[in-house]
């Protein structure tokens, strides 16, 4: 063997060793007990993590209809044990081919309120069905018929609605009442149903069955597609069969960054998550965080977030349509350069940064994490955007369409529902994917693996960041997942605090540094995370105490 071959072999060795490692248990954390249980049932039937991911995604679409769904999309970040491959399955929605840049503006160039939020015009072409087919064809082991069976059963037989459902339905009551089909499925006599009310979705069960039997043709062609296009025509939508024919799943290389001996693998554009995490971590790497007190640490966190969210607004968009300086933004030198301009003794007002132009998010959208006994794992964040998406159900299909079009910048500089502003890079164009904050992520080193993610709109990135930092600090999973979080997103220039985040003294010290604190009355996020501690050979899983999810760990037999 030549010297260079030996070298390549040695380089590959850690990857091969990693590929052969097997965890002592399988684990799933998701936002709903029925979804976690369905995933485990599929693993028990001989499925791998990718089969389980299909089952969990589809059950969430049924039992958590306010969060994600077959009328929406998402990102599935995969790790395959057999060859060590990490890959992001991009099932993000696309703008319809008849969409155009100014479609949400009036004659004066003003954003027409609600148009990108409610009804058929607010929806992007759904990617979740194609993503599940792609997973089944390329990564999973079982037929879709098997992995979709739990979702079909729950849709047909009905599930009891819980408190999260009631809260979200109350929040979106007006949008749900706007369409008779929607109200008939999701409300009871036009009102938020009582806890325990059975949500039966017979049409959705049939839509899922057509997908299970016929794959892509069962969704993007045939009865489902026909019903969708008829409804679009009737209710002012702009979709055509060409939108369905041209929709493609894209496999993307995830964004990788390194921090304190850990590799962070996260979502690539059209998500801004991986890039923003890289920038923030590279900034923080310039400071001895371990030696600093909470005031200095929180100050630096806010300053790093401010800068990364500013770049998000300025540069990020769908890389198939616009040039994004990914290399530069995710390079350690770039973070170091930004760090050099951070002062320890005062906050930088956002208005002092080169200008462009964000609001909060809660528990809609959905994240889940899966690890199987072979060492395959999946982090997936799925969305229909706002609670109950656009509120529009396609008659006869049970498909609740997303309102992901609001994630584009309808007009450069105008904030969307999360207060996020964007520039030209995220303007609407036919077939383009709207910018996302969804950040399914892995954190790896030879001793441990964490699989994590959360919903929360613009706050997803800062939540995932705080999870990563807490893990690297050595905090146990159960301890950090519930810890109150802070958030800064450049604009508005505010440091948001969850209830109980930071004591009074720390708050006052941050105000003295020039931060504008914005304590919020309700908590945010719904993180679902797994930890494989290789030193103790233990797997643990945790579901955010803020949500009603379930984390399961089942030791290998
Ligand atoms: O893709 C995005 O960034 C948003 N559509 C996610 C929305 C969300 O997380 C809502 N959550 N609470």
């Amino acid at each position: 063997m030549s010297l260079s071959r030996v070298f390549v072999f040695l380089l590959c060795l850690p990857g091969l060793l990693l590929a052969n490692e097997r965890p002592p248990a399988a684990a799933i954390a998701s936002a709903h007990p029925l979804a976690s249980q369905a995933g485990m049932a599929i693993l028990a039937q001989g499925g791998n993590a990718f089969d389980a991911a299909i089952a969990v995604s589809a059950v969430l679409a049924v039992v958590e209809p306010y969060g994600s769904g077959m009328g929406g999309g998402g990102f599935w970040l995969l790790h395959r044990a057999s060859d060590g491959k990490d890959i992001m399955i991009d099932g993000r929605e696309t703008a319809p081919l008849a969409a155009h840049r100014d479609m949400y503006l009036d004659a004066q160039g003003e954003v027409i309120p609600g148009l990108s939020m409610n009804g058929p015009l607010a929806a992007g072409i759904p990617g979740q069905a194609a993503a599940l087919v792609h997973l089944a064809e390329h990564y999973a082991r079982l037929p879709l018929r098997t992995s979709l069976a739990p979702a079909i059963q729950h849709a047909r037989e009905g599930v009891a609605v819980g408190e999260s459902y009631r809260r979200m339905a109350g929040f979106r009551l007006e949008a749900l009442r706007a369409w008779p089909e929607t109200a008939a499925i999701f409300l009871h006599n036009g009102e938020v149903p009582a806890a325990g009310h059975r949500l039966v979705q017979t049409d959705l069960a049939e839509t899922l069955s057509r997908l299970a039997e016929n794959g892509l043709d069962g969704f993007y062609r045939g009865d489902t597609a026909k019903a969708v296009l008829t409804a679009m025509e009737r209710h002012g939508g702009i979709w055509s069969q060409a939108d369905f024919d041209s929709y493609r799943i894209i496999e993307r290389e995830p964004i990788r960054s390194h921090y304190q001996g850990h590799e962070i693998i996260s979502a690539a554009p059209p998500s801004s998550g991986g890039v923003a995490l890289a920038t923030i971590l590279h900034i923080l790497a310039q400071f001895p965080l371990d030696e600093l007190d909470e005031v200095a640490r929180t100050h630096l966190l806010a300053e790093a977030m401010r800068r990364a969210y500013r770049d998000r607004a300025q540069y990020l968009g769908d890389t198939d349509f616009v040039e994004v300086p990914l290399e530069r933004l995710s390079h350690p030198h770039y973070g170091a350069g930004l760090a050099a301009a951070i002062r320890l003794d005062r906050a930088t007002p956002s208005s002092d940064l080169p200008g462009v132009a964000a609001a909060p998010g809660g528990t809609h959208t959905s994240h889940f994490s899966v690890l199987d006994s072979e060492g395959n794992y999946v982090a997936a964040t799925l969305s229909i955007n706002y609670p109950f998406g656009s509120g529009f159900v396609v008659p006869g299909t049970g498909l609740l369409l997303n309102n992901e079009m609001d994630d584009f910048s309808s007009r450069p500089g105008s904030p969307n529902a999360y207060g996020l502003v964007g520039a030209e890079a995220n303007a609407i164009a036919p077939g383009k994917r709207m910018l996302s904050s969804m950040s399914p992520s892995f954190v790896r080193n030879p001793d441990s693996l964490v699989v994590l993610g959360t919903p929360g709109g613009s706050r997803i990135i800062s939540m995932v960041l705080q999870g990563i930092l807490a893990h690297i600090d050595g905090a146990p999973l159960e301890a950090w997942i519930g810890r109150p979080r802070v958030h800064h997103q450049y604009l508005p220039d505010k440091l948001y605090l969850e209830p109980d985040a930071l004591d009074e003294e720390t708050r006052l010290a941050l105000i003295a540094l020039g931060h504008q604190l914005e304590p919020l009355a309700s908590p945010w996020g719904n993180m679902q995370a797994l930890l494989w501690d290789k030193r103790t050979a233990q797997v643990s899983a945790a579901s955010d105490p803020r949500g009603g999810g379930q984390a399961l760990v089942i030791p290998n037999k």
Side-chain angles (χ1 to χ4, degrees), residues 130-408:
L132 301 190
V133 170
H134 187 91
L135 282 170
E137 286 178 353
H138 298 278
Y139 296 94
R141 196 173 283 154
L142 303 175
L144 263 185
R145 195 177 295 127
T146 308
S147 46
L148 292 182
I152 295 171
Q153 184 193 345
H154 291 312
R156 198 166 278 146
E157 295 175 3
V159 292
V161 311
E163 277 315 314
S164 301
Y165 181 102
R166 299 188 67 245
R167 212 174 39 248
M168 297 295 170
F171 180 67
R172 291 286 274 159
L173 195 54
E174 215 180 305
L176 298 176
R177 281 179 178 157
W179 305 96
E181 187 90 7
T182 310
I185 299 171
F186 296 115
L187 299 177
H188 185 61
N189 299 325
E191 301 296 337
V192 173
H197 166 89
R198 283 198 92 69
L199 169 68
V200 178
Q201 301 174 82
T202 322
D203 288 342
L204 183 58
E206 293 309 313
T207 297
L208 283 164
S209 302
R210 286 191 289 275
L211 177 67
E213 295 305 321
N214 304 314
L216 289 179
D217 282 348
F219 189 89
Y220 296 96
R221 282 171 278 278
D223 290 349
T224 303
K226 222 177 286 165
V228 174
L229 297 179
T230 305
M232 281 288 163
E233 204 171 311
R234 195 163 294 160
H235 299 288
I238 54 172
W239 296 9
S240 68
Q241 184 60 42
D243 284 302
F244 289 154
D245 293 343
S246 60
Y247 185 84
R248 292 283 178 272
I249 288 300
I250 302 178
E251 289 210 348
R252 298 189 191 270
E253 271 304 314
I255 301 281
R256 292 169 197 271
S257 47
H258 293 88
Y259 182 76
Q260 293 193 358
H262 293 257
E263 184 184 17
I264 290 88
I265 297 114
S266 189
S271 172
S272 54
V275 181
L277 285 171
T279 303
I280 296 172
L281 291 168
H282 293 148
I283 293 175
L284 295 178
Q286 302 300 313
F287 300 93
L289 284 199
D290 301 348
E291 295 161 23
L292 299 176
D293 64 12
E294 194 170 28
V295 175
R297 279 175 69 112
T298 312
H299 167 66
L300 289 172
L301 216 57
E303 291 305 311
M305 289 177 190
R306 181 201 309 282
R307 285 161 174 82
Y309 275 86
R310 182 261 162 203
D311 283 351
R312 176 198 197 276
Q314 177 68 25
Y315 298 116
L316 270 285
D318 182 348
T319 41
D320 294 340
F321 284 73
V322 292
E323 200 70 48
V324 177
L326 279 186
E327 282 274 308
R328 176 160 76 88
L329 298 177
S330 45
H331 197 284
H333 290 166
Y334 180 71
L338 291 179
I342 293 178
R343 289 180 55 162
L344 284 169
D345 62 343
R346 77 173 180 91
T348 310
S350 290
S351 54
D352 282 7
L353 297 180
V356 220
T363 55
H364 39 294
T365 294
S366 206
H367 178 88
F368 68 86
S369 298
V370 183
L371 169 71
D372 71 15
S373 60
E374 298 161 38
N376 301 301
Y377 40 93
V378 179
T381 315
L382 316 177
S383 187
I384 51 173
N385 196 26
Y386 226 47
F388 290 96
S390 67
F392 182 72
V393 172
V394 174
T397 66
L399 281 177
L400 176 60
L401 299 186
N402 67 82
N403 59 354
E404 222 77 65
M405 290 295 283
D406 190 65
D407 279 348
F408 278 118

Side-chain angles (χ1 to χ4, degrees), residues 66-67 74-75 92-93 168 270-272 312 360-366 381-387 403-404 406-407 416 418 420 434-439 454-461 463 524-526:
Y66 47 87
F75 303 128
R92 183 71 163 164
E93 299 88 336
M168 297 295 170
S271 172
S272 54
R312 176 198 197 276
T363 55
H364 39 294
T365 294
S366 206
T381 315
L382 316 177
S383 187
I384 51 173
N385 196 26
Y386 226 47
N403 59 354
E404 222 77 65
D406 190 65
D407 279 348
N416 75 356
Y418 305 101
L420 287 165
M434 56 295 282
L435 185 59
S436 174
S437 303
M438 295 189 289
S439 311
T454 178
S458 58
R459 296 180 190 162
I460 292 174
I461 302 168
M463 285 187 263
W524 62 76
N526 194 10

